[in-house]
Amino acid sequence: MKSKARPATGRLLYAQSGGVTAVINATAAGVIQNARKHGIKVYAARNGILGALREDLIDTSKDTMAAIEALRHTPGGAFGSCRYKLKSIEANRAEYERLIDVLRAHDIRWFLYNGGNDSADTALKISQIGKTLGYDIRCIGVPKTVDNDLAVTDCCPGFGSVAKYTAVSTLEASLDVASMADTSTKVFILEVMGRHAGWIAAASGLAGEGPDQAPHIILFPERVFEEKAFIDKVKATVERVGWCTVVASEGIRNAEGQFLAEAGTRDSFGHAQLGGVAPVLAALVKEKLGFKYHWALPDYLQRSARHMASKSDAEQAYAVGKAAVDYALADMNAVMPVIVRTSDSPYRWKIESAPLEKIANREKKMPNNFLTKDGFGITAAARRYLSPLIQGEAPPPYGKDGLPKYVQLKNTAVKRKLPAFSA
Amino acid sequence: MKSKARPATGRLLYAQSGGVTAVINATAAGVIQNARKHGIKVYAARNGILGALREDLIDTSKDTMAAIEALRHTPGGAFGSCRYKLKSIEANRAEYERLIDVLRAHDIRWFLYNGGNDSADTALKISQIGKTLGYDIRCIGVPKTVDNDLAVTDCCPGFGSVAKYTAVSTLEASLDVASMADTSTKVFILEVMGRHAGWIAAASGLAGEGPDQAPHIILFPERVFEEKAFIDKVKATVERVGWCTVVASEGIRNAEGQFLAEAGTRDSFGHAQLGGVAPVLAALVKEKLGFKYHWALPDYLQRSARHMASKSDAEQAYAVGKAAVDYALADMNAVMPVIVRTSDSPYRWKIESAPLEKIANREKKMPNNFLTKDGFGITAAARRYLSPLIQGEAPPPYGKDGLPKYVQLKNTAVKRKLPAFSA
């Protein structure tokens, strides 16, 4: 992984990719602060890799130390992100050549790409293309995803905070439902993100323990949705407890492999792209059991809830950014700083480097032993894994106006040197 | 309002009514702690007025001082609430007689009913029926509602916290959308509670100021929803800013007076009782403008988010509970402690008593001058009113497990003395 000696000059380019998180800007802060310490100027690509292709670069040195420090507690992606996957080098060599042109024009010697497994793949490709095109570039992937589905790393920066938001919201809403159940809402359904993996839904399980505490039912994309078993369990729970909280991953499917949000009840409940498995489940509960229901779909609220960040998540997000700069300046290439857990309780972790080729395009599923036999809950093993990730609070500072003091950077553009390029 | 001298003995009955809030238990704490100080035993009715009718009473003296103190930071309704409105005395005299029987059987001399305008009406009726049925009872209404629609009081305990949650969530999710807009989501729609009044939606306006800051469009039930004006403003905002955040009250209606969630697009988007004006608006944006959208519907999450409570709201909720006991013990009857604002900035308020007959069954609408001319935003007058209500934080204590330390009371039942009664 080691390559040639550190270039005497040069700039570092940082880009954010894919869905943003409550703490991805903490990673940006880790990158920029560490690079400044080493006297390296950091450019950020506006709107992810597209900014690099378009030569739309931001000079982060125009922002104060205080503004960069405030990134540690500001959600969203401060430089803009994008959903854009580079094709293979064979399929679109022109894009790679353009990338190298831009890097060369601005003397960029290090590229840090902050994203999920797609981005790890992009970073890996760029790390390889430099040689082919005769430009010396070191490329480091930096982990980020609320989906927690990156290989190798013990967990992904961004996940711990959405996990904490989900567990706390499940706890709070369930106290509400419990109060109302006698004459009103008996079933509450919370839909959470997770198209392919049920990590976020699993985190809701931390809100309670034992059969009578909420959430009573968790629906995972890892398990086929079986209507009868679900309805039977809702009924039994309401009869025993008086009410029932259900947490559903957006990606649950029926035995035919159809997303529940799009299947079966489609005719009554509209276009598939409307999304929302929660209303489908709610209608099912109403039809089969007649219970009054409420449902919630926090969507972006869950992944941007910096006010509810997990302390360890915020710290890890910063640490991977800082480590990425260390790796880059140590002339490493095609690696990613990953989180290694050394102890569950007390929770201890460290950062190590891992080769991007072990991470790119892979997906970490939830282990089978994390789900209970009936598929509606999490096991003690899952709790041991998940619990440390939501521990500790890292609230943002608040202003006198009662709002968190989130920062808006200047995002000063770097002067273009090349002709336009349409990606 | 003053009545006879304070009874030498007797108990105080407290009941929670209607939709619960993040801070209604702070009111319960104010009631119980103040009553304990005066040596008065507090019974709570399980599940609101129904518990009183069923003689299903809870002896709050069985819970420790620490548990009662923890109510100050625990959301939901600790004794259960209900949606149940007593009929008029003429229509159902038996219910009132039963109530008096239960009060008499347990030597209850003060009844504190914690709810909205319906509950104020119930409290008023009970305050009158005592005389008719020859039982000496003092009845105090205690304000609570996230809807902020109670007459006389400057604001309603419960509203400030949902207002803060809504403003913060709007701010956070908008930072997310801004990051994604280049290649993905351009329009974000947040649906908030408010069937008849747009107070909660209005509070989202505190997240930003000026035409370019989110929320760019607020949809109020006080204004007819005009599709063209809405679509035009979304389009203009996306063209100018790059993205657009919309906050919609659940209760917005079209020119025909139909709820948007049930009207027009009904055929494509399913049963009306599914609720959700956000997906209807999202589909409209997609159809007319082709923009990618996301939408969120936090539902109970917004009113149970004790983790995001407004400090002044939590303090006011406690204060009205405490004052209600003072009024009861001062032999006042048919009154409610209300919040009187004495200064906007710095925010200052005090508690005064108001006659229930000025509050019962009335509804406070948003003043006309709180909405901008185009009906899509809030004015400076609205900001002056709303801003103090979300100021200050009052986070709950957190455990080592990363979850707020919410209390579950013992809720020990008082032994029944009367035959059963089915309400």
Side-chain angles (χ1 to χ4, degrees):
Chain A
M1 267 172 292
K2 297 256 171 182
S3 76
K4 284 166 271 175
R6 173 181 162 181
T9 65
R11 302 197 177 94
L12 185 148
L13 180 65
Y14 167 77
Q16 301 178 324
S17 176
V20 295
T21 78
V23 298
I24 187 172
N25 286 334
T27 301
V31 167
I32 296 168
Q33 291 184 343
N34 195 12
R36 283 191 184 185
K37 216 176 66 188
H38 287 90
I40 306 287
K41 184 174 270 198
V42 175
Y43 283 176
R46 200 186 305 270
N47 298 318
I49 196 76
L50 283 172
L53 288 167
R54 295 169 179 159
E55 203 194 358
D56 192 356
L57 307 179
I58 291 162
D59 184 351
T60 70
S61 72
K62 304 294 183 191
D63 273 287
T64 62
M65 289 299 275
I68 301 303
E69 176 65 18
L71 286 181
R72 291 179 80 145
H73 61 251
T74 299
F79 309 110
S81 184
C82 71
R83 293 201 179 280
Y84 186 83
K85 191 176 179 179
L86 285 185
K87 294 202 186 76
S88 70
I89 295 166
E90 296 72 34
N92 199 344
R93 194 178 170 94
E95 272 191 349
Y96 289 87
E97 287 173 346
R98 166 69 176 188
L99 256 183
I100 298 297
D101 286 348
V102 172
L103 299 179
R104 195 191 313 263
H106 294 277
D107 194 21
I108 289 161
R109 293 292 168 174
W110 306 277
F111 179 51
L112 270 49
Y113 202 32
N114 198 178
N117 30 38
D118 275 7
S119 312
D121 178 62
T122 300
L124 181 60
K125 282 175 181 152
I126 296 172
S127 74
Q128 295 161 338
I129 196 67
K131 268 182 207 154
T132 316
L133 299 179
Y135 184 71
D136 187 23
I137 179 82
R138 281 144 191 78
C139 197
I140 313 286
V142 195
K144 169 249 45 162
T145 171
V146 295
D147 294 329
N148 203 40
D149 60 354
L150 280 178
V152 187
T153 189
D154 180 68
C155 60
C156 301
F159 172 68
S161 295
V162 71
K164 188 178 180 97
Y165 173 92
T166 301
V168 172
S169 296
T170 300
L171 177 61
E172 291 180 332
S174 295
L175 287 169
D176 192 313
V177 182
S179 322
M180 304 306 295
D182 186 56
T183 53
S184 180
T185 304
K186 285 195 166 48
V187 178
F188 178 72
I189 300 166
L190 174 64
E191 173 171 344
V192 298
M193 288 179 163
R195 203 81 177 152
H196 306 296
W199 290 107
I200 298 176
S204 75
L206 297 174
E209 211 168 344
D212 290 357
Q213 290 196 351
H216 306 97
I217 301 176
I218 308 177
L219 299 173
F220 300 96
E222 287 85 354
R223 291 287 179 276
V224 170
F225 176 76
E226 310 229 23
E227 184 179 307
K228 189 180 175 304
F230 169 69
I231 289 295
D232 286 352
K233 182 137 186 176
V234 171
K235 186 165 180 281
T237 306
V238 171
E239 283 170 359
R240 196 180 68 249
V241 182
W243 52 282
C244 179
T245 292
V246 178
V247 177
S249 289
E250 59 181 333
I252 54 171
R253 301 172 192 236
N254 62 19
E256 287 74 45
Q258 292 170 292
F259 284 115
L260 209 67
E262 303 174 1
T265 43
R266 182 188 182 97
D267 290 343
S268 326
F269 305 123
H271 298 320
Q273 79 270 26
L274 276 184
V277 71
V280 173
L281 292 169
L284 192 64
V285 164
K286 178 79 179 170
E287 183 195 327
K288 301 289 181 187
L289 301 172
F291 294 140
K292 196 172 173 221
Y293 59 77
H294 262 248
W295 56 270
L297 200 163
D299 190 68
Y300 280 180
L301 271 54
Q302 72 199 282
R303 74 178 198 195
S304 61
R306 181 58 185 80
H307 73 265
M308 181 45 78
S310 139
K311 187 160 185 273
S312 57
D313 189 36
E315 289 173 353
Q316 290 171 350
Y318 186 87
V320 294
K322 181 171 180 289
V325 171
D326 288 339
Y327 296 171
L329 299 187
D331 292 321
M332 293 166 81
N333 194 19
V335 296
M336 176 180 274
V338 296
I339 296 151
V340 177
R341 182 186 300 218
T342 56
S343 161
D344 283 328
S345 177
Y347 180 44
R348 290 204 193 95
W349 53 273
K350 59 180 180 181
I351 303 289
E352 285 184 359
S353 74
L356 282 176
E357 59 189 6
K358 287 200 176 170
I359 297 161
N361 291 321
R362 301 192 189 190
E363 200 177 58
K364 183 171 73 182
K365 294 273 183 190
M366 230 183 344
N368 236 319
N369 71 339
F370 275 22
L371 303 192
T372 53
K373 259 192 192 139
D374 70 358
F376 290 139
I378 58 169
T379 59
R383 286 176 192 279
R384 271 195 303 278
Y385 170 76
L386 291 166
S387 181
L389 306 183
I390 72 164
Q391 288 170 14
E393 292 68 55
Y398 284 76
K400 280 188 183 162
D401 61 2
L403 296 171
K405 290 165 97 169
Y406 295 143
V407 72
Q408 197 91 43
L409 298 184
K410 285 189 227 157
N411 284 354
T412 311
V414 174
K415 209 180 161 200
R416 283 192 168 82
K417 302 180 172 187
L418 298 174
F421 176 91
S422 73
Chain B
M1 268 173 291
K2 297 256 176 184
S3 74
K4 282 168 269 173
R6 173 183 162 185
T9 65
R11 305 195 175 96
L12 185 149
L13 180 66
Y14 167 77
Q16 301 177 324
S17 177
V20 295
T21 79
V23 297
I24 186 173
N25 286 335
T27 301
V31 168
I32 296 169
Q33 291 183 343
N34 196 12
R36 283 190 184 185
K37 215 175 67 187
H38 288 90
I40 306 288
K41 184 175 272 199
V42 175
Y43 284 174
R46 198 186 306 269
N47 297 316
I49 197 75
L50 282 171
L53 288 168
R54 293 168 180 160
E55 202 194 358
D56 191 357
L57 308 178
I58 290 162
D59 184 352
T60 69
S61 72
K62 303 295 183 189
D63 273 288
T64 62
M65 291 299 276
I68 300 303
E69 177 67 17
L71 285 181
R72 290 179 82 144
H73 61 252
T74 299
F79 309 109
S81 184
C82 70
R83 294 203 179 278
Y84 186 85
K85 190 174 178 180
L86 285 184
K87 295 202 187 77
S88 70
I89 295 167
E90 296 71 34
N92 199 344
R93 193 179 170 96
E95 272 191 347
Y96 289 88
E97 287 174 348
R98 166 69 177 189
L99 257 183
I100 297 297
D101 285 348
V102 171
L103 300 179
R104 193 191 313 261
H106 293 276
D107 194 21
I108 291 162
R109 293 292 168 172
W110 306 279
F111 179 51
L112 271 50
Y113 203 33
N114 197 178
N117 31 39
D118 275 6
S119 311
D121 178 62
T122 300
L124 181 60
K125 282 174 182 153
I126 297 172
S127 75
Q128 296 161 338
I129 195 67
K131 266 181 207 153
T132 316
L133 298 179
Y135 184 73
D136 188 22
I137 180 81
R138 281 141 191 81
C139 198
I140 313 285
V142 194
K144 172 249 39 165
T145 172
V146 295
D147 295 330
N148 203 40
D149 61 354
L150 279 178
V152 186
T153 189
D154 179 68
C155 60
C156 301
F159 172 68
S161 295
V162 72
K164 188 178 182 96
Y165 173 93
T166 300
V168 172
S169 296
T170 299
L171 176 61
E172 292 181 330
S174 295
L175 288 169
D176 192 311
V177 182
S179 323
M180 304 306 296
D182 186 56
T183 53
S184 181
T185 304
K186 285 197 166 48
V187 178
F188 179 71
I189 301 165
L190 174 64
E191 172 171 344
V192 299
M193 288 177 163
R195 204 79 178 155
H196 306 294
W199 290 106
I200 298 175
S204 75
L206 298 174
E209 210 166 345
D212 290 356
Q213 289 197 352
H216 307 97
I217 301 176
I218 307 176
L219 300 173
F220 300 95
E222 286 86 354
R223 290 288 179 274
V224 169
F225 175 76
E226 310 229 22
E227 185 178 306
K228 190 178 175 307
F230 169 69
I231 289 295
D232 286 352
K233 180 137 189 177
V234 172
K235 185 166 181 283
T237 305
V238 171
E239 282 169 359
R240 196 181 67 250
V241 182
W243 51 281
C244 178
T245 292
V246 178
V247 177
S249 290
E250 59 182 334
I252 54 171
R253 301 170 193 238
N254 62 20
E256 287 73 45
Q258 293 171 289
F259 285 114
L260 210 66
E262 302 173 4
T265 44
R266 181 191 182 95
D267 290 345
S268 325
F269 306 122
H271 298 320
Q273 79 269 23
L274 276 185
V277 73
V280 173
L281 293 169
L284 192 64
V285 164
K286 178 78 180 169
E287 183 195 325
K288 301 289 180 189
L289 301 171
F291 294 141
K292 198 176 168 216
Y293 59 76
H294 262 248
W295 56 270
L297 200 162
D299 189 69
Y300 279 180
L301 270 55
Q302 72 198 282
R303 75 178 197 196
S304 62
R306 180 59 186 79
H307 73 265
M308 182 44 80
S310 140
K311 187 159 185 274
S312 56
D313 189 36
E315 289 173 353
Q316 290 170 350
Y318 186 87
V320 294
K322 182 170 179 288
V325 171
D326 288 339
Y327 296 171
L329 298 187
D331 292 320
M332 293 166 81
N333 194 19
V335 296
M336 177 180 274
V338 295
I339 295 151
V340 177
R341 181 186 301 219
T342 56
S343 163
D344 284 330
S345 178
Y347 180 45
R348 289 206 193 92
W349 53 273
K350 60 182 180 180
I351 304 288
E352 285 185 355
S353 74
L356 283 176
E357 60 190 6
K358 287 199 175 170
I359 299 161
N361 291 321
R362 301 192 189 190
E363 199 177 57
K364 184 171 70 180
K365 294 271 181 193
M366 232 182 345
N368 236 320
N369 72 337
F370 275 22
L371 303 193
T372 54
K373 256 191 195 144
D374 70 359
F376 290 137
I378 60 169
T379 60
R383 287 176 192 278
R384 271 195 303 279
Y385 170 75
L386 291 166
S387 182
L389 306 183
I390 72 163
Q391 288 169 15
E393 292 69 53
Y398 284 76
K400 281 186 182 163
D401 60 2
L403 296 170
K405 288 165 100 167
Y406 294 145
V407 71
Q408 197 90 43
L409 299 183
K410 285 190 227 159
N411 283 355
T412 311
V414 174
K415 208 179 159 199
R416 285 191 166 84
K417 300 184 174 184
L418 298 174
F421 177 90
S422 72

